[in-house]
């Protein structure tokens, strides 16, 4: 914990709820490991316009945005990163003063960068790789967008066909129903749904018999850290990427935006693991 004083710079996360967020542990560890006089706090927010106006007047420098505000916050910002605008959702705010000392808030999306970085860090070359993405929510959109942008071939699948087809159309990729996956082979399988998340620890989005068809399997669920999907994938020799990887790498990109410096990823990862254990998940 830094010595908080009159020069401490403020960072945090807005969402509802934020009780279980691991981001404060990750970002405070990053600031501490580089000796930065900065602090990152959780802020439960229901009244979004009031909260954004509060960030301006309280002098916050950087803020994470989580559910349910990732899309709703956009009208209250001054600037949008073009890629975040294309995705239609943001997870990061950067606040700065302009020449007239007006506070300018710019929105970014680092989720898709985090997903790509998690895969790349595991040794997967994204250009030309074939990836099956399960899910049709905000996480699937970010993961699918990142893969498409990196030149991967994406196949989307989802429990509900209609929302799956809709997202596939938006991404410009193929949709295959969960029941029709048995003929497919691919480099990567990525679960972006909550299947397998506590308390549904026996849940798994695809039949385990299909797992040998993939070189690598990534799950964005991190409670438990080794989901049934990852356990079964590991047992048949797939490379596995756990749910803390995307969280870490999207946070590392936030850190870079906020500080202009490379993120201390090892310190951030170990803080995430400790926070997860303390929260009773591991
Ligand atoms: P997020 O924005 O965090 O990605 P979301 O918008 O609630 O979350 O999306 C959840 C996704 O997980 C959906 O694709 C959902 O499938 P449906 O479209 O069929 O609802 C999927 N999902 C959630 N729980 C699931 C489960 N137990 N099995 C399969 N899919 C599940």
């Amino acid at each position: 914990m830094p010595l908080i004083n009159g020069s401490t710079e403020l960072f945090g996360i807005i969402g509802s709820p934020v009780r279980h967020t691991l981001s404060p542990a990750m970002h405070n560890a990053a600031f501490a490991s580089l000796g930065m006089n900065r602090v990152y706090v959780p802020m439960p927010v229901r009244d979004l316009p009031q909260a954004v106006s509060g960030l301006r007047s309280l002098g916050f420098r950087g803020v994470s945005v989580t559910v349910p505000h990732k899309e709703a916050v956009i009208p209250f910002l001054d600037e949008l990163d073009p890629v975040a605008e294309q995705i239609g959702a943001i997870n990061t705010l950067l606040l700065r003063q302009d020449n007239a000392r007006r506070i300018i808030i710019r929105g970014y999306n680092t989720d898709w960068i985090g997903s790509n970085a998690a895969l790349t860090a595991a040794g997967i070359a994204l250009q030309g790789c074939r990836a099956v993405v399960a899910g049709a929510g905000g996480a699937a959109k970010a993961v699918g967008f990142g893969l498409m942008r990196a030149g991967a071939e994406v196949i989307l699948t989802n429990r509900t066909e209609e929302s799956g087809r809709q997202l596939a159309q938006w991404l410009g990729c193929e949709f295959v129903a969960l029941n029709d996956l048995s003929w497919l082979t691919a480099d990567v399988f990525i679960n972006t749904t909550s299947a397998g998340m506590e308390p549904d620890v026996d849940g798994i989005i695809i039949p385990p018999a299909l797992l040998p068809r993939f070189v690598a399997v990534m799950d964005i669920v991190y409670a438990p850290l080794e989901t049934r999907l990852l356990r079964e994938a590991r047992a048949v020799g797939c490379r596995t990427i756990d749910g803390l990887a995307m969280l870490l790498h999207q946070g590392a990109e936030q850190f870079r935006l906020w500080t202009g410096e490379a993120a201390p990823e090892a310190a951030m990862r170990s803080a995430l693991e400790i926070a997860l254990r303390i929260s009773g998940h591991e």
Side-chain angles (χ1 to χ4, degrees):
M1 202 49 190
L3 177 66
I4 294 173
N5 58 25
S7 315
T8 304
E9 291 182 6
L10 299 176
F11 296 80
I13 179 165
I14 57 173
S16 183
V18 288
R19 184 182 270 277
H20 298 292
T21 176
L22 300 179
S23 294
M26 169 171 69
H27 282 297
N28 285 316
F31 295 148
S33 90
L34 296 182
M36 294 172 157
N37 188 2
R38 302 175 187 216
V39 68
Y40 181 107
V41 292
M43 295 175 280
V45 163
R46 290 243 175 83
D47 187 333
L48 189 58
Q50 289 270 27
V52 174
S53 140
L55 297 175
R56 287 181 200 274
S57 49
L58 292 169
F60 273 81
R61 303 290 304 272
V63 174
S64 307
V65 182
T66 189
V67 178
H69 303 316
K70 287 185 169 189
E71 295 171 10
V73 75
I74 291 176
F76 306 108
L77 308 181
D78 305 300
E79 296 176 357
L80 262 189
D81 171 72
V83 182
E85 184 168 21
Q86 206 181 332
I87 297 175
I90 66 107
N91 74 326
T92 307
L93 305 180
L94 177 65
L95 294 92
R96 66 170 203 278
Q97 251 184 21
D98 70 4
N99 293 338
R101 310 198 73 184
R102 223 170 48 95
I103 303 294
I104 306 296
I105 308 184
R106 186 175 173 90
Y108 297 84
N109 186 310
T110 70
D111 286 330
W112 68 276
I113 299 173
S115 157
N116 279 4
L119 291 162
T120 308
I124 293 152
L126 300 181
Q127 165 85 47
C129 104
R130 190 160 206 245
V132 177
V133 178
K141 191 176 188 183
V143 170
F145 178 90
L147 285 164
M148 292 292 291
R149 201 176 153 92
E153 179 196 348
V154 178
I155 295 153
L156 196 85
T157 187
N158 191 46
R159 179 175 63 183
T160 305
E161 194 159 329
E162 192 186 341
S163 50
R165 283 196 187 281
Q166 244 168 38
L167 179 58
Q169 191 177 12
W170 184 86
L171 288 168
C173 74
E174 193 184 341
F175 175 84
V176 174
L178 269 173
N179 288 336
D180 296 333
L181 285 181
S182 46
W183 56 269
L184 268 177
T185 60
D187 299 295
V188 197
F189 179 85
I190 304 168
N191 175 48
T192 75
T193 78
S194 41
M197 191 196 300
E198 288 174 355
D200 171 35
V201 290
D202 291 327
I204 186 163
I205 187 78
I206 52 165
L210 299 186
L211 291 172
R213 294 165 176 272
F214 305 102
V215 177
V217 174
M218 174 160 117
D219 205 334
I220 70 157
V221 172
Y222 55 74
L225 191 51
E226 186 171 71
T227 55
R228 179 170 172 212
L229 175 70
L230 295 185
R231 192 169 69 245
E232 304 260 14
R234 185 167 54 86
V236 297
C238 301
R239 208 178 308 165
T240 59
I241 306 159
D242 68 36
L244 289 185
M246 180 167 163
L247 183 61
L248 166 68
H249 289 286
Q250 65 77 30
E253 179 62 15
Q254 292 184 317
F255 186 91
R256 201 190 61 73
L257 285 168
W258 292 335
T259 68
E261 294 191 32
E265 290 178 8
M268 293 165 82
R269 170 82 201 193
S270 73
L272 284 172
E273 287 174 8
I274 292 166
L276 193 60
R277 225 173 292 136
I278 292 172
S279 69
H281 289 306
E282 284 300 300

